Amino acid sequence: MSDQHPASGHILVVEDEPAISDIVSTALRYQGHTVTAADTGTVALDLAMTIDFDMIVLDIMLPGLDGLEVCRRLRDSGRFAPVLFLTARDEQDDRIKGFVVGGDDYLTKPFSVDELVLRVAAILRRAPDGQPTEALVVDDLVLDPAGMEVRRGGTAIELSRTEFRLLHYLMTNAGIVVSKTQILLNVWEYDYAGGANVVELYIGYLRRKVDDGREPLIHTKRGAGYVLRRPQA
Ligand code: CA
């Protein structure tokens, strides 16, 4: 994708199903990451309290201490390694709960290993406080988080604060389809009552400012969400 040399890190993989744990660990090691695996929530919590992981891939359904509780206890003790939750299919509740306890993203099982690798890279690109320190660049679109500036083809684009946050989220996840729920939870915070219509409305505003009269970067994936990516030749 956009990152030829993604940041590598030390990742804790927590999954009680050996087949999934092996596939995930192998894929992440192949990307250059160091992987420590745990198969229970208790072991995961012990490890994460002693080792400063760059991120945690955390299955929710675990025997004993579940993934949500592991994340809650880590956050309560001031440990903020980003958490990518693995949720069972159609457990919408788990996704919401995951964000409430301080998770950063989620993947629904079954997921493709490629998707997991992309999401891990996107999370590692973000600085610890959730804001990248360097400018985000996709094709001729440049977003500078420090100066709150956006340019396309060298031309400055004026965005509202919410539009800026939305574009920032889409660019951080460039090349990855993000659902309306994910956008809502990350850009508006989880308890926003307006729902998916607000996401559609703001995607419309952004398109008018960023894509109008140009090669479109923001694409709709019907039934799945949105993806910001460079034009495909
Ligand atoms: Ca499990």
Side-chain angles (χ1 to χ4, degrees), residues 15-17 59 61-62 109:
E15 169 61 76
D16 59 312
E17 291 164 66
D59 187 30
M61 296 287 282
L62 293 167
K109 291 179 179 179

